[in-house]
Amino acid sequence: MANSATTSRLSQTMANLLTATRPGQTVWKRLKKNSGFLFVAPAVLIFLVFGLYTIIYSFVLSFFRWKGSSIFSLFPPVCEAPGCAFWGLQNYKDFLYEDKGVAKLFWMAMENNLVVALVVPAATVLISLLIAIALNRAGRAVPLFRTIMMLPMVTSGIAVYFAWSSIYLSDGPLNAMLNAAGLGFLSAPHGWLGTANLALPALMVVMIWSSVPLAVILYMAGLQTIDQELYEAATIDGANSWHMLWYITWPLLRPVTFIILIFAINNAFQGFDLPLLMTKGGPANHTQVVGLRIFSFGFGDDLQLGIASAMGWVLFLLVFVLSLINLRLFRPATEETRE
Amino acid sequence: MKQKIFYTLSLLLVLVIILSACAQAPAAPAATQAPATNEGSGEAAVELTMWTWKVNHVPGLEAVAREFEAQTGIKVAVTAVSPDDAYRTKLVTSAQSGDLPDIMSYWTGGDDYWEKAGSGVLIDITDKVDDQWKNVFIPGTFDKTSVFSQARYDTCQKDPKCLYKDVQVGHAYSVPYFGGSAYMVYASKPLMEQAGLDPDKAPATAEEWLDMMKAIKEKTGVAGLVTGVQNPDVSARWLFNPLLMTSCGQEKYDAIYGGRDTFEDPCAMRVFNFMYQLAQEDLWTADILATDIGPSEAVMGSGKAGFIIGGTYTLSGIIANGMKPDDVLAFGVPPLKDSALDHLSLGMDAFIEAGITRDSQHPEEALQFLKFLTSPEAAALFAKTVGDVPATKLDADPAKVGDAMAGLVAVLNPADAPFGKSNAEPYIDEIFNVLRPGLQAFITGETTPEELAKDVQAASEAGWPNHGGPKPAAD
Amino acid sequence: MTRDPLSLSIDGLKLGQKFWALISFLCLLAYLVISIYPFLWMISSALKDNREVLTNTSLIPKEIHWEILVDVWNRLDFWQYFLNSLMISVPIVIGTVIIYSLAGYGFSVTKFWGKEFLYVFFMGLIVVPTIVVLVPLVQELRAFGLIGRDASKFATYVGLIIPAINGGGPWAIFLFRSYFDSLPRDLRDAARIDGCTEWGVYARIYLPLAIPAIATVGITNFISSWNAYVFPSVVINNPDWYTLPLQLRFLDMQTVVQWNVRMAGSLITVLPVIIAFIFLQRYYIRGLTAAAVK
């Protein structure tokens, strides 16, 4: 839907350009017509210089076997044997199916990743929307609350990991609270991060925790843009709070939801620092994620940058497709209505 | 009109940006020349750079460097890039940009190490290490892992994925400066006493050891055993391997890991069963699967476990975490009853190498420093400063190396250590990828000894063809 | 007179609404506790004895060790590395805001050939894996003379700053464009009719209105560049040029990791971020008000 809108606009601008080329119009005028590009030019330039090469490089590298000691470069094209070898599609084949051990781990990680990518974005949206609405109504009376709520954004990474790890310990606050509430049967006697089926959910809670503040900021900004008259009109029509939430707030916040979802999905697939620091992918690979596998091949024990690149590109394809689906679901009609 | 001025200005702006971006390129050579002339003028003041990832080794290396400067006038700047993945990344990027240090530290003897050697990152120093220099190293270190062995050569030639096919047998690219032994257990004497055990008597068998853990847990309520199980390598390498070695004997151990024998052999099954029993009896500390190596030392140090599995490198950790040296009883991982070997002799392995990189401007001076770093005098200084074992022969004189170190050095007996004779390393990833999570799954209760042995054996059988077939026995 | 969903004002509401107001208040309170907990943990660990950090799960130290903080502060040589970090983070934030607010405006308001394609392309960059770009980036920086043992401090920092700006680009474009899209188009059309240039509309009308977006982009990029570890550790070769997080690594040169020292160091490092954050937040709230009035 949104795609077709994009393409139709694209063809329209192309048509504009074609009509612009008819004789009589000067080059100056044509340049002027496209002068909006000047605003974008610095961004494009900086990408051409510092982004393009790295992307092409990592794509080409995914067809080589290389551990980073001999020289591998595109300009000039060098792949210095024996430390570097052209490997064709072997990297992709290896981790997708051929090398049993590596492939098994990859698919296990992918499975965990899909769970994470489903649960974390959904929970982030739900929780942060509710908090934003509550905060928005509470108004400016609680700026302190806002500041505190954003502390997760500034707390240093390593402190976050250790703090949460200590919460999850067998004698940590979480188990203590459950026991005190008479819910001892729910507690994890071997620690939350050390129990096979609890480790991944425990990690997801931390992921949600760290992604909520930014989502709240975005939702609050979004809520400010909603016209209060809409609510007044709805009240006159006899709508209750949930109706207004469902029929006014939620649809009008769709562009914000879209942003948050892209952010969250991307993080869910590319983030790996949490499992790296808190569980190392364990216990028994229950918190393996694809990002962690890539990290292991890119910087870690398995060092083979060709496979790291290849996995990276498979992940790219997946996230790209998911983002397109997200685009279809949440990119709102606002753009079309604007035209 | 106004518009035209705007467009012209914007165009100019973009041009300026482009030009300034381009201008940086020609500006660079000017920048490179400045320090170069400095060097030319002060020929005598050579400054070497050395990198490591071990932040805690920096004081030791700096102490050695100061000594070296006093003797030769050559300065050595030691830099740590940590943690280890940041260090690997730094080495990879520096190799691409030609900015490697004069001397780099690296993990001894793994695939990555030989790939660095074979790719020319490290300079070949085979001719430079004469007999006199070779003699300072403890047997089983330089001679075993710093020199390219026939076994490694054969393995590499058979393996299509091997990236160091040009390295020749007998060549060396670095010298070890840090070593020690894994496969050690430290016990808490006070806890043993509280449990009614003789605090000076090490268990003779693994079964006895297990009973001691049970006794401690029953009598004191403190969990029996801790180590960095969160790191999946730990329980496989520090506990499974030494038990398998004693249970099956060195030749059979090599055969099993080499693909010529099976993990379902009774001698291996007993090891699987023992580790399963440890989990079943709940003898590990409560958060064992979420405990990494560093934190495990904190747990042991604060008296929350009866035993810790580790190596020579563990002692300083538990002492720094509050254990008194007199309260520690150290012994090798005890063998299971009726094992092929009745005890495990602990040898000496090299852990960290130092080599000269291809980007070094002063390879002669760098070599001089390596020689100094591995001399008994400097090694003792290093050992005393960092509380760890060098790969150089030391006399166990507490005055020179510190008390704790002297005790450790005395325990090691490289001459008849079975791991010293074994050719099982390099282990193949296919086996470890199944074995490591499998041993963790004992603790989560997700697998049984029979299942795991079967899986590991299947992985071994599927894996060896990728490496050109099973590895032949050592000579 | 409006009755808004999940209202927190209790006066004149029905019982059910009071109930919901209470519930939402309690939920916010619980969330607040969870938000602040790790931060408090960081402070409490910085005051604990090293062994206690990992073995005592209580937030209250058995014995308060102020000397750790003081010692770390003294050993860290704070101001030198603080300045280094600032010299990197501030240009990144300024560069990001300038370059991508321009781009956001271009994509939102102006028309040019290939605009939509270019926009989609930039958005695609968000999901490009960043993990293996370090090596080619370093090769490029080398070619430009911006890295290496002979590069000057200025060159090294330029080599750190520009790729970081580029890295934050797609998100910034996205946020600025979305924000500009939300402004009424009449604003721009009226200004154009009044003889304002496209540049004038951007600089005098859109940019001042974009303070919330600037605050969001600024805060995000400041935090990430301030905490960056791997890329700076790859690019910077001279220990004197280290950033705060890099220098922090050298605090615990003991046999054993000193967790309390590490936490004290983390606390000192994030302090500037928190101060900057509180400072920027004021603008951010003011910007929100401005956007709401429009």
Side-chain angles (χ1 to χ4, degrees):
Chain A
M1 200 176 93
N3 257 351
S4 62
T6 311
T7 45
S8 76
R9 214 170 310 122
L10 197 65
S11 54
Q12 199 189 335
T13 41
M14 282 175 75
N16 285 347
L17 194 84
L18 287 177
T19 50
T21 50
R22 69 170 191 270
Q25 283 204 307
T26 63
V27 177
W28 175 254
K29 272 190 182 154
R30 246 192 296 159
L31 272 178
K32 210 175 93 178
K33 204 167 172 58
N34 286 305
S35 64
F37 179 75
L38 287 178
F39 282 97
V40 185
V44 172
L45 189 76
I46 202 168
F47 169 73
L48 287 180
V49 177
F50 281 102
L52 189 63
Y53 178 75
T54 62
I55 290 175
I56 299 174
Y57 184 98
S58 81
F59 184 67
V60 174
L61 183 57
S62 71
F63 302 103
F64 287 83
R65 183 173 174 81
W66 186 59
K67 278 170 170 269
S69 302
S70 59
I71 302 296
F72 178 87
S73 107
L74 294 186
F75 292 110
V78 181
C79 168
E80 209 179 52
C84 171
F86 180 68
W87 214 236
L89 285 171
Q90 195 58 42
N91 284 332
Y92 290 90
K93 283 188 196 163
D94 268 355
F95 76 81
L96 285 176
Y97 59 93
E98 216 168 273
D99 187 332
K100 291 285 180 293
V102 175
K104 192 179 161 209
L105 216 51
F106 175 79
W107 288 111
M108 201 185 261
M110 188 57 96
E111 213 176 292
N112 289 337
N113 241 156
L114 289 174
V115 173
V116 171
L118 209 67
V119 173
V120 173
T124 303
V125 163
L126 189 72
I127 294 170
S128 54
L129 180 62
L130 293 179
I131 290 174
I133 289 172
L135 267 184
N136 198 40
R137 291 308 124 209
R140 275 144 229 144
V142 279
L144 180 71
F145 193 110
R146 259 193 274 217
T147 310
I148 291 175
M149 195 206 68
M150 286 165 197
L151 276 179
M153 288 173 70
V154 294
T155 310
S156 93
I158 185 161
V160 169
Y161 310 130
F162 282 115
W164 278 99
S165 298
S166 84
I167 289 176
Y168 286 140
L169 282 180
S170 57
D171 55 351
L174 182 57
N175 274 351
M177 259 165 53
L178 287 171
N179 287 329
L183 297 169
F185 59 93
L186 285 178
S187 69
H190 288 280
W192 289 76
L193 294 177
T195 307
N197 296 321
L198 295 177
L200 192 62
L203 277 188
M204 287 195 289
V205 167
V206 188
M207 291 178 198
I208 295 165
W209 173 85
S210 58
S211 64
V212 160
L214 190 70
V216 173
I217 296 184
L218 292 172
Y219 268 135
M220 282 175 68
L223 283 171
Q224 299 279 349
T225 63
I226 296 178
D227 198 338
Q228 291 301 315
E229 286 171 21
L230 286 173
Y231 292 116
E232 286 166 29
T235 315
I236 291 163
D237 291 344
N240 66 24
S241 295
W242 295 112
H243 285 141
M244 289 192 273
L245 177 65
W246 185 247
Y247 291 108
I248 301 173
T249 314
W250 175 247
L252 286 175
L253 285 179
R254 263 166 70 187
V256 182
T257 308
F258 170 73
I259 302 178
I260 293 167
L261 281 181
I262 286 209
F263 223 133
I265 291 174
N266 195 41
N267 276 352
F269 278 106
Q270 299 212 5
F272 57 86
D273 46 345
L274 270 177
L276 178 71
L277 286 159
M278 287 176 71
T279 61
K280 299 215 164 15
N285 289 325
H286 282 285
T287 55
Q288 268 304 342
V289 290
V290 179
L292 206 55
R293 300 306 308 142
I294 298 180
F295 178 84
S296 180
F297 283 103
F299 307 127
D301 304 333
D302 295 321
L303 197 69
Q304 208 273 77
L305 290 121
I307 287 202
S309 296
M311 274 189 191
W313 282 99
V314 168
L315 198 61
F316 164 76
L317 213 65
L318 184 74
V319 180
F320 192 73
V321 169
L322 285 177
S323 299
L324 286 182
I325 295 173
N326 180 18
L327 189 82
R328 284 185 77 97
L329 287 177
F330 285 96
R331 190 68 183 175
T334 49
E335 290 215 0
E336 276 106 306
T337 48
R338 162 157 300 164
E339 294 288 318
Chain B
M1 192 59 220
K2 230 177 168 184
Q3 275 182 348
K4 283 192 186 177
I5 292 173
F6 164 66
Y7 294 129
T8 323
L9 278 179
S10 315
L11 206 68
L12 273 173
L13 182 77
V14 171
L15 269 175
V16 168
I17 293 173
I18 295 174
L19 281 177
S20 63
C22 297
Q24 274 146 12
T32 54
Q33 270 155 22
T37 49
N38 256 351
E39 251 165 46
S41 63
E43 195 84 81
V46 172
E47 184 171 337
L48 299 173
T49 49
M50 177 178 185
W51 288 356
T52 178
W53 69 98
K54 285 270 207 188
V55 175
N56 63 328
H57 281 180
V58 173
L61 292 171
E62 275 177 344
V64 172
R66 269 193 302 276
E67 206 39 52
F68 182 64
E69 193 185 355
Q71 290 186 13
T72 62
I74 301 168
K75 241 177 101 83
V76 184
V78 182
T79 310
V81 180
S82 126
D84 45 2
D85 27 79
Y87 184 66
R88 278 194 199 93
T89 311
K90 176 98 183 168
L91 287 183
V92 168
T93 52
S94 300
Q96 298 309 303
S97 66
D99 291 315
L100 289 164
D102 294 290
I103 300 163
M104 71 176 229
S105 309
Y106 210 76
W107 292 263
T108 295
D111 255 359
D112 292 353
Y113 168 80
W114 288 112
E115 187 266 337
K116 292 228 175 315
S119 296
V121 160
L122 293 171
I123 293 177
D124 189 337
I125 55 166
T126 317
D127 306 335
K128 306 288 190 330
V129 188
D130 50 26
D131 286 344
Q132 197 195 342
W133 192 358
K134 272 181 201 158
N135 247 325
V136 309
F137 298 109
I138 296 170
T141 58
F142 178 82
D143 55 336
K144 178 144 190 276
T145 43
S146 303
V147 177
F148 199 64
S149 66
Q150 184 71 43
R152 244 183 211 283
Y153 180 84
D154 295 341
T155 310
C156 179
Q157 296 304 323
K158 279 194 284 181
D159 184 351
K161 286 185 181 171
C162 180
L163 289 176
Y164 46 88
K165 293 208 155 79
D166 290 358
V167 181
Q168 282 169 13
V169 177
H171 280 239
Y173 298 80
S174 60
V175 287
Y177 68 89
F178 170 61
S181 172
Y183 324 126
M184 290 181 77
V185 181
Y186 298 92
S188 159
K189 287 186 186 175
L191 280 172
M192 286 168 75
E193 252 168 62
Q194 281 177 45
L197 302 165
D198 178 358
D200 294 314
K201 190 170 168 281
T205 64
E207 286 81 358
E208 252 177 62
W209 184 32
L210 191 98
D211 289 338
M212 290 166 82
M213 289 182 221
K214 277 195 210 165
I216 287 179
K217 194 172 180 193
E218 270 164 34
K219 302 264 171 58
T220 69
V222 174
L225 184 60
V226 74
T227 187
V229 174
Q230 187 186 57
N231 181 332
D233 258 341
V234 165
S235 38
R237 284 181 188 263
W238 296 0
L239 185 56
F240 180 84
N241 280 359
L243 286 174
L244 187 73
M245 175 62 87
T246 45
S247 177
C248 302
Q250 177 246 322
E251 277 168 23
K252 189 135 189 174
Y253 178 91
D254 288 359
I256 292 174
Y257 264 121
R260 287 173 282 113
D261 208 328
T262 164
F263 280 92
E264 294 175 283
D265 189 280
C267 74
M269 282 314 300
R270 292 195 307 169
V271 179
F272 282 114
N273 282 322
F274 177 77
M275 294 193 67
Y276 186 65
Q277 200 185 348
L278 274 180
Q280 288 290 298
E281 311 250 5
D282 212 10
L283 292 169
W284 294 102
T285 49
D287 293 289
I288 189 66
L289 284 170
T291 307
D292 201 358
I293 298 168
S296 77
E297 291 169 358
V299 168
M300 183 70 188
S302 51
K304 290 188 171 180
F307 300 90
I308 185 168
I309 306 169
T312 47
Y313 38 82
T314 310
L315 182 61
S316 54
I318 54 177
I319 288 175
N321 270 301
M323 268 190 106
K324 292 197 207 78
D326 291 343
D327 288 347
V328 181
L329 175 70
F331 50 91
V333 171
L336 288 153
K337 224 191 307 180
D338 305 323
S339 281
L341 304 173
D342 63 351
H343 79 289
L344 181 64
S345 290
L346 297 175
M348 179 76 181
D349 294 317
F351 292 147
I352 298 180
E353 305 276 311
I356 305 161
T357 74
R358 64 173 169 221
D359 295 341
S360 173
Q361 313 275 314
H362 308 286
E364 286 304 316
E365 286 84 353
L367 190 75
Q368 219 178 320
F369 181 69
L370 290 190
K371 213 161 192 166
F372 182 74
L373 176 63
T374 52
S375 67
E377 166 198 7
L381 182 62
F382 176 81
K384 200 174 175 180
T385 317
V386 304
D388 247 326
V389 187
T392 301
K393 287 176 197 157
L394 291 181
D395 36 348
D397 177 2
K400 275 193 191 150
V401 296
D403 284 331
M405 188 58 48
L408 283 182
V409 173
V411 171
L412 303 178
N413 178 16
D416 61 319
F419 279 104
K421 294 177 201 136
S422 159
N423 80 341
E425 290 211 61
Y427 299 111
I428 59 170
D429 288 342
E430 286 87 343
I431 293 176
F432 264 65
N433 282 343
V434 178
L435 179 64
R436 292 186 307 188
L439 292 174
Q440 288 187 333
F442 279 170
I443 305 176
T444 62
E446 290 173 299
T447 187
T448 62
E450 288 73 25
E451 271 173 34
L452 182 57
K454 210 174 116 216
D455 290 349
V456 174
Q457 183 54 29
S460 169
E461 279 162 23
W464 278 109
N466 303 338
H467 301 271
K471 188 195 291 186
D475 313 317
Chain C
M1 281 296 109
T2 53
R3 287 200 294 144
D4 302 322
L6 299 184
S7 169
L8 265 191
S9 66
I10 310 280
D11 305 329
L13 296 181
K14 281 178 263 167
L15 192 68
Q17 279 164 321
K18 269 187 191 165
F19 173 73
W20 282 113
L22 189 68
I23 292 285
S24 70
F25 179 72
L26 286 179
C27 287
L28 278 179
L29 209 63
Y31 183 73
L32 190 115
V33 172
I34 303 173
S35 289
I36 205 170
Y37 185 85
F39 189 74
L40 294 179
W41 194 90
M42 177 163 65
I43 296 172
S44 111
S45 300
L47 301 174
K48 279 177 179 171
D49 164 39
N50 185 38
R51 227 183 330 153
E52 224 190 309
V53 176
L54 293 179
T55 49
N56 177 10
T57 53
S58 158
L59 273 187
I60 300 147
K62 285 180 189 134
E63 201 182 320
I64 292 184
H65 295 265
W66 292 107
E67 72 273 9
I68 303 288
L69 262 178
V70 176
D71 178 52
V72 166
W73 175 273
N74 289 336
R75 276 195 296 150
L76 189 57
D77 202 350
F78 178 80
W79 292 110
Q80 181 190 345
Y81 298 103
F82 170 75
L83 272 181
N84 285 347
S85 274
L86 216 57
M87 277 192 270
I88 292 166
S89 290
V90 170
I92 288 176
V93 170
I94 294 176
T96 307
V97 166
I98 292 179
I99 292 174
Y100 297 111
S101 66
L102 274 169
Y105 181 84
F107 280 124
S108 172
V109 173
T110 66
K111 288 203 168 89
F112 57 88
W113 186 80
K115 183 177 97 169
E116 286 307 322
F117 171 78
L118 202 57
Y119 182 69
V120 170
F121 181 80
F122 268 111
M123 290 310 98
L125 289 181
I126 289 178
V127 289
V128 165
T130 50
I131 197 153
V132 275
V133 302
L134 272 176
V135 175
L137 200 53
V138 165
Q139 285 185 355
E140 267 191 272
L141 293 175
R142 180 69 185 178
F144 293 139
L146 295 174
I147 196 178
R149 68 184 109 204
D150 300 330
S152 67
K153 184 176 184 180
F154 177 74
T156 305
Y157 281 12
V158 170
L160 261 174
I161 291 164
I162 301 185
I165 292 177
N166 180 57
W171 268 115
I173 290 179
F174 182 69
L175 288 171
F176 276 116
R177 187 199 175 161
S178 304
Y179 188 80
F180 288 140
D181 276 349
S182 74
L183 296 177
R185 191 60 63 93
D186 309 344
L187 217 62
R188 179 237 182 200
D189 294 342
R192 287 305 299 266
I193 291 164
D194 288 349
C196 212
T197 59
E198 199 73 68
W199 167 258
V201 176
Y202 161 77
R204 286 198 219 125
I205 301 171
Y206 271 64
L207 201 58
L209 280 177
I211 289 175
I214 292 174
T216 308
V217 170
I219 290 172
T220 323
N221 280 287
F222 184 76
I223 294 173
S224 64
S225 64
W226 191 265
N227 292 332
Y229 185 78
V230 171
F231 187 47
S233 77
V234 162
V235 174
I236 303 177
N237 277 316
N238 186 333
D240 289 341
W241 307 340
Y242 276 176
T243 58
L244 269 179
L246 289 189
Q247 185 57 22
L248 210 58
R249 286 280 165 187
F250 293 91
L251 284 175
D252 48 11
M253 290 204 293
Q254 316 275 330
T255 351
V256 179
V257 180
Q258 304 285 104
W259 301 109
N260 52 353
V261 171
R262 220 174 242 194
M263 286 304 136
S266 306
L267 191 62
I268 290 171
T269 314
V270 296
L271 224 55
V273 185
I274 295 171
I275 292 167
F277 183 72
I278 292 169
F279 176 72
L280 281 169
Q281 201 200 20
R282 265 171 50 203
Y283 282 87
Y284 165 74
I285 292 169
R286 200 187 296 169
L288 273 186
T289 326
V293 175
K294 67 187 174 203

